[in-house]
Amino acid sequence: MATSVSAQNPFKYTTIAHSGHHYCSPLSAGIAATLLAALQLQAGSLVLDAGCGKAGLLRDLLASQPVCGVGVDINPAFLAEAANAWDASNPGDGRLTLIASQLEQHPLPAGGYDAILCVGSTHALGGFEPSLALCRQWLKPGGVLLVGEGYWKRPPSNEYLLTLGATEDELSSHAENIARALAQGFKLRLAMASSDEEWDRYEHMYCQAVMQYAASHPHDPDTVAFGERARRWYQNYLAFGRSTLGFGHYLLEKPRISRA
């Protein structure tokens, strides 16, 4: 029996599915620009993109503001794409550092970060509240965190939860996400939710990328399984996810005088 390539490369499916995405989350360029401008960073600030994927948001930030960035991820294909894209558009600009590492194990700078981006990657730190707690430790006093997290627009059906392989208590509401951030000692600067159009574009591109790969790689042993997985996911997005699952962006500030 032929060995599946995906068994040797656990990042293969997500790399294919996000091949056309600049951001690996339901985020448009216009909303991204609004969020990045709201960071209000000083020149020379050091920014961490935690679970950066292709570092699309971090690259946009560095292209628009005179700051330095560190992107950390465990997917080597995403990091290679980010490095190539940055070098192509910003030759000789050394402000972007990309690190292949588990987030908890990456080398922390002395004094901490001025800002952290953690959009769609809280799972890498154990969930929303553990991510808030850890990022708060990594931030300098007065530093800012832009975190993206899912939430329920309405109570999920059992069928949808089975599709996700999730339980209802894994997410809360948009308002409860904000309350949980405040309970961690952050100040709220801004909260925005992804629109239906942003979700539609993200999910359509995700499914189409896999379908196109399957059509052009008929002899890949993963093609049939990947194609079925993408079709099933998209069907469930249309039937359940679009009306049930939201995604919020929360811009939070660590107080300059931290609580104990």
Side-chain angles (χ1 to χ4, degrees), residues 3-86:
T3 300
S4 170
V5 177
S6 62
Q8 303 170 16
N9 178 6
F11 308 113
K12 181 178 178 180
Y13 181 82
T14 191
T15 300
I16 293 168
H18 288 102
S19 59
H21 292 79
H22 183 67
Y23 313 114
C24 297
S25 61
L27 179 63
S28 64
I31 297 302
T34 298
L35 293 168
L36 294 177
L39 293 174
Q40 300 179 349
L41 299 175
Q42 299 295 317
S45 292
L46 182 60
V47 182
L48 169 68
D49 193 344
C52 66
K54 302 179 182 184
L57 198 59
L58 181 60
R59 289 187 281 119
D60 288 353
L61 176 63
L62 268 60
S64 63
Q65 300 183 35
V67 299
C68 298
V70 177
V72 180
D73 204 272
I74 57 173
N75 185 336
F78 281 166
L79 292 174
E81 183 173 341
N84 291 336
W86 177 253

Side-chain angles (χ1 to χ4, degrees), residues 7-177:
Q8 303 170 16
N9 178 6
F11 308 113
K12 181 178 178 180
Y13 181 82
T14 191
T15 300
I16 293 168
H18 288 102
S19 59
H21 292 79
H22 183 67
Y23 313 114
C24 297
S25 61
L27 179 63
S28 64
I31 297 302
T34 298
L35 293 168
L36 294 177
L39 293 174
Q40 300 179 349
L41 299 175
Q42 299 295 317
S45 292
L46 182 60
V47 182
L48 169 68
D49 193 344
C52 66
K54 302 179 182 184
L57 198 59
L58 181 60
R59 289 187 281 119
D60 288 353
L61 176 63
L62 268 60
S64 63
Q65 300 183 35
V67 299
C68 298
V70 177
V72 180
D73 204 272
I74 57 173
N75 185 336
F78 281 166
L79 292 174
E81 183 173 341
N84 291 336
W86 177 253
D87 291 342
S89 58
N90 303 274
D93 189 333
R95 290 180 298 132
L96 175 63
T97 301
L98 297 169
I99 300 173
S101 172
Q102 297 285 345
L103 275 170
E104 301 94 324
Q105 300 170 3
H106 86 279
L108 290 168
Y113 292 101
D114 297 290
I116 297 175
L117 312 177
C118 186
V119 179
S121 52
T122 58
H123 59 279
L125 291 172
F128 186 51
E129 288 177 321
S131 296
L132 293 175
L134 195 53
C135 288
R136 191 172 179 277
Q137 292 178 23
W138 291 348
L139 282 170
K140 297 178 181 178
V144 290
L145 167 65
L146 177 59
V147 59
E149 175 71 352
Y151 66 89
W152 299 129
K153 295 180 181 179
R154 65 177 188 180
S157 67
N158 289 332
E159 187 174 356
Y160 185 49
L161 288 173
L162 286 173
T163 298
L164 294 178
T167 57
E168 186 171 352
D169 61 2
E170 289 183 41
L171 297 178
S172 56
S173 69
H174 188 41
E176 287 169 340
N177 279 349

